[in-house]
Amino acid sequence: MVKFLHCADLHLDSPFVSKQHLSPNILRDVENSAYESFKKIVDVALRETVDFMIISGDLFDQRNRTLKAEVFLKEEFKRLEKEQIFVYIIHGNHDPLSERITSDWPQNVTVFSKDVETYQAITKTGDTVHLHGFSYEASASYENKIDDYPTNVDRNIVHIGILHGTYSKSQTAHRYTEFRLEDLNTKLYHYWALGHIHKRQQLSDLPEIHYPGNIQGRHFKEQGEKGCLIVEGDHVALKTRFVPTQFIRFETAVLETEDIGQQQLYDLIQNFKKSVRGLGRAFYRLQLNVLGDERIDSQVLEQVKAMILDYEENEQYFILIDTLDIYYPNIEETSIFNEFDSELLEDDTLYEQALSDLYMNPKASKYLDHYLQHDRKALIERAESMIKAELKRGDK
């Protein structure tokens, strides 16, 4: 039997993105979020008494790499060393070997070199595991080293491939060491521990091929739970389960209301924040659908936005509303065109009166087609779209 933890893309010290000014307390939580998530991951490894941990690349963020991050990881690895839990690391495009600050890791840590290597691990039950992988030597690593991975010739030994790269069918624009599933399957491994894609994803269940995603979201393109995978089993079958460890979440939500008064809007959003606060610290983008036929006064809206930011710095689990977008579905579904009856639209005298100022202007009229050539319905719809766009800008 083997039991191990698989994580990737720690990106320690990578910057966050927020539209709001952050108070000192919240900013401190943001800056420490990846650190806190990895502490939880080490806690999981200790609690689950795993045989080893795999980190599939991008421990650091190259442009923001600090000695603080190196020292932090060393201390966390020492926690694992005390319980005889080993750590196997490959470096990715954001933390290539050429950018290494130190290689003075505890004795329980193994770092793969720029060439594909194989290491042997013995589990707590005495079983043998072979781990195969390589680290990026430079940040731009497009070479395909899949052919260098040895093919498994002993199915009774658990074989694990570790790879930081891009699945050929993925939609990401950042493509490194691209691979196909057929390439991985030919190696006859039991598990592929992937890194690089920040979204948790299972590419195959036979063999098990997984991206665990990054351990902490940094913006609204990295929403939801983040964490690590626990993998256990033997050479016949391996099972995986996800363990969330994120310190801060990025989420979106939709609220609906018919009330547009300041107190009612404030209470609605505060009650929402109260309902999700137990899930932990989070940034939210809220969409508020106002179901009535009236619009929120712009001053009221600005006051509500200011009020909902208050007091969050004093909460253990802050809920920060990053953006508040207002929509009026009932108003927008009613077209101005439907307000005009057919006789009104066909009334040339009224139509000429409406356009007379424009066509009597010598500077403008020379650029205009004859007014009878215009589609009157299209003119009304164009005017309506311009009004709605202007109203939306006013709402924000």
Side-chain angles (χ1 to χ4, degrees), residues 84-137:
Q84 297 184 326
I85 295 175
F86 295 87
V87 182
Y88 295 92
I89 296 172
I90 63 171
H91 287 271
N93 59 294
H94 279 280
D95 62 346
L97 294 171
S98 59
E99 301 293 332
R100 186 184 301 174
I101 294 176
T102 178
S103 58
D104 184 22
W105 296 120
Q107 292 185 353
N108 63 322
V109 177
T110 298
V111 178
F112 287 77
S113 73
K114 65 181 179 64
D115 300 312
V116 174
E117 297 179 313
T118 297
Y119 289 94
Q120 178 175 289
I122 304 298
T123 70
K124 293 178 176 61
T125 56
D127 295 294
T128 301
V129 178
H130 286 176
L131 300 100
H132 317 277
F134 76 96
S135 291
Y136 285 27
E137 184 178 20

Side-chain angles (χ1 to χ4, degrees), residues 61-331:
D61 198 68
Q62 185 175 351
R63 295 180 181 176
N64 304 284
R65 186 169 178 172
T66 63
L67 182 59
K68 171 189 172 183
E70 298 261 358
V71 172
F72 165 78
L73 283 180
K74 186 182 298 185
E75 293 303 312
E76 293 302 310
F77 293 157
K78 285 180 180 179
R79 291 175 60 199
L80 298 171
E81 184 181 30
K82 290 178 181 178
E83 300 301 324
Q84 297 184 326
I85 295 175
F86 295 87
V87 182
Y88 295 92
I89 296 172
I90 63 171
H91 287 271
N93 59 294
H94 279 280
D95 62 346
L97 294 171
S98 59
E99 301 293 332
R100 186 184 301 174
I101 294 176
T102 178
S103 58
D104 184 22
W105 296 120
Q107 292 185 353
N108 63 322
V109 177
T110 298
V111 178
F112 287 77
S113 73
K114 65 181 179 64
D115 300 312
V116 174
E117 297 179 313
T118 297
Y119 289 94
Q120 178 175 289
I122 304 298
T123 70
K124 293 178 176 61
T125 56
D127 295 294
T128 301
V129 178
H130 286 176
L131 300 100
H132 317 277
F134 76 96
S135 291
Y136 285 27
E137 184 178 20
S139 59
S141 181
Y142 298 96
E143 72 274 17
N144 191 328
K145 293 189 177 182
I146 304 299
D147 291 342
D148 296 340
Y149 283 72
T151 301
N152 174 18
V153 294
D154 186 351
R155 294 290 289 175
N156 293 320
I157 295 177
V158 174
H159 287 258
I160 300 171
I162 311 174
L163 177 65
H164 194 86
T166 310
Y167 177 38
S168 60
K169 293 185 179 180
S170 69
Q171 301 301 314
T172 179
H174 307 288
R175 311 190 78 83
Y176 297 90
T177 310
E178 192 167 318
F179 64 86
R180 302 175 303 161
L181 288 184
E182 294 85 348
D183 301 329
L184 305 188
N185 291 338
T186 59
K187 302 303 175 180
L188 303 178
Y189 293 174
H190 299 84
Y191 187 89
W192 279 93
L194 304 179
H196 181 53
I197 302 301
H198 290 187
K199 182 178 180 180
R200 187 168 74 255
Q201 187 176 7
Q202 180 176 1
L203 300 184
S204 169
D205 58 2
L206 191 65
E208 296 280 345
I209 303 176
H210 291 265
Y211 283 109
N214 55 338
I215 68 169
Q216 172 60 59
R218 300 168 298 169
H219 44 69
F220 282 94
K221 291 183 180 179
E222 299 176 348
Q223 294 186 34
E225 294 183 319
K226 302 290 183 177
C228 60
L229 296 173
I230 294 293
V231 187
E232 55 186 324
D234 54 23
H235 65 281
V236 177
L238 293 172
K239 293 184 178 180
T240 65
R241 53 188 166 89
F242 172 72
V243 181
T245 63
Q246 76 285 329
F247 193 63
I248 298 173
R249 293 175 298 112
F250 284 81
E251 303 284 4
T252 58
V254 178
L255 302 180
E256 293 185 344
T257 184
E258 294 182 358
D259 297 317
I260 59 173
Q262 180 174 309
Q263 188 64 46
Q264 292 91 336
L265 293 172
Y266 174 75
D267 290 342
L268 173 70
I269 296 173
Q270 288 300 104
N271 288 335
F272 165 76
K273 289 161 65 175
K274 183 178 179 180
S275 71
V276 298
R277 199 178 297 281
L279 301 176
R281 301 166 184 82
F283 288 82
Y284 271 87
R285 282 182 174 171
L286 282 186
Q287 175 180 319
L288 181 59
N289 291 336
V290 180
L291 302 180
D293 56 2
E294 293 185 73
R295 295 180 181 272
I296 302 173
D297 180 87
S298 59
Q299 290 186 346
V300 168
L301 184 59
E302 290 306 312
Q303 290 172 352
V304 170
K305 287 181 177 180
M307 290 166 63
I308 61 177
L309 292 177
D310 287 345
Y311 309 114
E312 286 303 320
E313 63 179 304
N314 299 318
E315 294 285 350
Q316 180 182 4
Y317 298 131
F318 68 80
I319 304 296
L320 196 71
I321 307 303
D322 192 68
T323 59
L324 176 61
D325 294 325
I326 311 298
Y327 290 87
Y328 301 91
N330 291 347
I331 296 176

